Amino acid sequence: MPKRRSKLRIAMVGHAFMGRAHSNAMRQANRFFDLPFDIEMAVVVGRDADRAEAARAQFGFAEASIDLEATLAREDIDLIDVATPNDTHAPITLAALKAGKNVMCEKPLALNTREAKSMAALAKKKGLKVGMWHNYRRCPAATLAQKIVARGDIGKIRHVRAVYLQDWLSDASTPASWRTDASVCGSGAHGDLNAHLIDMTHFLTGLRFTDVSAIEATFIKSRKDGSGKKRTVDVDDALAFLARFDNGAIGTFEATRSAPGRKNYNKIELSGEKGSIVWNLERMNELAVFRFDGPADTRGFQTVMCMDDVHPYAGQWWPDGHIIGYEHTFVHTLVDFVLSMRGKKPFSPSFDDGVAVQQVLDASLKAAKTRRWVKVS
Ligand code: SOE
């Protein structure tokens, strides 16, 4: 008889792009990883009954609901997954924590540092398990990069060079959406894409940002929404910033949705005193590594394919070299979160990590608006 495991019942709020990615992770996690819980996709919560029902049927939840309050009041729900647009991360999370639920939340944690801190404080006060879906940390090659840096293989970090380039807002005919409305998303490419770069920098290097200076641009100042109504775009299309770190290193960061030809070009390069590392989501299973040791005449960047069983997560999937993709990074995130619910190992990114990202986002947005260097508090 197989050992019976306890159930972990999840209610997912929101069912668009991220809901699809998260629910796929919920379906795959037990099939590929040995977990202390059987994940049960209990409820998907939405705002519209027909759409929530369609998501239930397609994603495989047992029930659909448009009543968040009633869902939070249910005793049989263990974890609330927040997969909604940014302005609802804080209210949904705070309500879930008040109801005694564990929470996984999409990035960025909140619209601003104040909101993010209130979420982190309540989670601590309630002693509940919380985490964030910064999924790129858990690409095997990115996780390996963190190990390489922590081992000291490239020495003390001197430079962080990071870009996140997309092109879907290049064209003025692309409609307005919640992603171009500051009251819903907080900021544009900055909060959406620089949030990933900032989190990845924290994860890979352990460094903290001290000061930032920034420029931003909104190239297309109004767009029509789905019904043809003209909407002002009050967020950045692009925001670039310079940073100083607590160890004396310097960094450059650029996020844009107006870089024709760049689809999801999320690239980070670290230069240390002994070597360098480059990772790019568009070649997500490879890591470029350079080190000054070894014979000088064959020295150069080496491309490591991070898909052997010696690499993080890879051995749980397919035989060596049988590559994985974007969706697997969400599976890894969920797996580590679920493991952390039983074990002693804390899960990161935590809400404190989300606050740290938000502080850099807020400081660099302020730097762009005031055209001054701003200290990261
Ligand atoms: C859209 O720009 C988006 O889907 C982001 O919201 C994600 O966080 C990023 O991973 C890819 O691009």
Side-chain angles (χ1 to χ4, degrees):
M1 276 277 284
K3 219 169 80 197
R4 280 182 73 87
R5 288 175 298 215
S6 348
K7 292 190 187 309
L8 179 74
R9 296 186 184 85
I10 306 182
M12 182 176 84
V13 191
H15 46 69
F17 174 23
M18 281 305 106
R20 183 179 295 273
H22 295 186
S23 57
N24 177 64
M26 293 168 203
R27 287 193 304 273
Q28 299 303 326
N30 282 117
R31 297 197 168 96
F32 287 86
F33 291 79
D34 188 17
L35 298 178
F37 296 100
D38 276 328
I39 293 172
E40 253 193 36
M41 298 169 69
V43 196
V44 56
V45 184
R47 280 191 279 222
D48 173 273
D50 290 343
R51 286 194 290 126
E53 171 52 26
R56 183 205 66 72
Q58 191 178 24
F59 298 162
F61 283 88
E63 294 172 45
S65 170
I66 52 167
D67 191 340
L68 177 62
E69 219 178 299
T71 305
L72 294 181
R74 279 175 60 160
E75 280 192 4
D76 62 335
I77 301 295
D78 306 299
L79 174 66
I80 303 296
D81 177 23
V82 183
T84 54
N86 308 355
D87 62 331
T88 51
H89 291 180
I92 295 172
T93 297
L94 292 172
L97 293 170
K98 280 179 196 149
K101 305 298 184 202
N102 304 294
V103 179
M104 275 291 275
C105 186
E106 248 311 318
K107 49 61 58 176
L109 187 55
L111 289 180
N112 52 52
T113 303
R114 183 183 44 76
E115 272 188 6
K117 279 187 171 169
S118 70
M119 296 158 82
L122 188 61
K124 240 169 249 161
K125 189 171 155 202
K126 292 276 187 182
L128 292 161
K129 280 267 173 207
V130 293
M132 291 184 64
W133 292 91
H134 268 298
N135 56 306
Y136 298 136
R137 285 183 175 214
R138 289 176 166 86
C139 287
T143 311
L144 177 66
Q146 189 274 336
K147 278 189 169 180
I148 290 173
V149 174
R151 251 182 356 219
D153 292 10
I154 64 166
K156 183 182 161 192
I157 302 296
R158 291 174 172 157
H159 290 277
V160 180
R161 251 169 251 109
V163 295
Y164 203 142
L165 315 175
Q166 298 181 338
D167 69 358
W168 59 280
L169 281 182
S170 301
D171 193 319
S173 67
T174 304
S177 69
W178 69 266
R179 292 179 185 273
T180 56
D181 177 350
S183 68
V184 185
C185 61
S187 66
H190 186 48
D192 191 28
L193 306 179
N194 275 332
H196 282 303
L197 299 181
I198 296 164
D199 181 68
M200 189 60 99
T201 301
H202 284 153
F203 171 61
L204 293 182
T205 68
L207 298 178
R208 286 294 169 233
F209 293 70
T210 58
D211 307 84
V212 290
S213 144
I215 46 173
E216 64 169 340
T218 304
F219 304 114
I220 295 165
K221 308 233 183 297
S222 71
R223 293 177 183 272
K224 289 189 179 147
D225 66 15
S227 63
K229 197 166 166 216
K230 209 168 152 188
R231 301 269 177 198
T232 301
V233 174
D234 56 359
V235 297
D236 58 281
D237 284 325
L239 192 146
F241 68 97
L242 300 177
R244 288 192 181 282
F245 293 96
D246 54 357
N247 75 336
I250 60 173
T252 60
F253 294 79
E254 180 189 3
T256 181
R257 293 153 164 174
S258 303
R262 295 300 188 198
K263 301 298 169 187
N264 210 21
Y265 193 89
N266 169 5
K267 181 176 172 194
I268 186 158
E269 176 164 327
L270 303 177
S271 310
E273 55 192 351
K274 295 196 282 187
S276 297
I277 289 186
V278 190
W279 177 76
N280 179 357
L281 176 67
E282 290 190 348
R283 306 190 69 91
M284 63 168 265
N285 294 313
E286 296 175 4
L287 195 63
V289 185
F290 175 87
R291 294 220 304 244
F292 280 121
D293 50 10
D297 57 356
T298 49
R299 206 173 276 157
F301 270 99
Q302 160 192 27
T303 303
V304 182
M305 171 54 85
C306 306
M307 278 289 108
D308 287 2
D309 62 3
V310 293
H311 296 124
Y313 308 106
Q316 292 301 125
W317 294 100
W318 313 114
D320 286 359
H322 290 65
I323 56 174
I324 61 165
Y326 173 73
E327 69 272 30
H328 299 80
T329 63
F330 291 90
V331 181
H332 301 160
T333 306
L334 182 63
V335 160
D336 285 345
F337 183 79
V338 171
L339 288 171
S340 82
M341 294 188 86
R342 263 290 160 82
K344 292 202 170 59
K345 203 171 156 230
F347 177 83
S348 58
S350 64
F351 280 7
D352 285 339
D353 294 316
V355 170
V357 169
Q358 199 74 56
Q359 286 171 323
V360 182
L361 286 173
D362 287 4
S364 34
L365 200 55
K366 184 170 171 196
K369 305 248 179 258
T370 58
R371 301 181 174 218
R372 296 207 131 98
W373 278 90
V374 172
K375 285 216 169 305
V376 180
S377 53

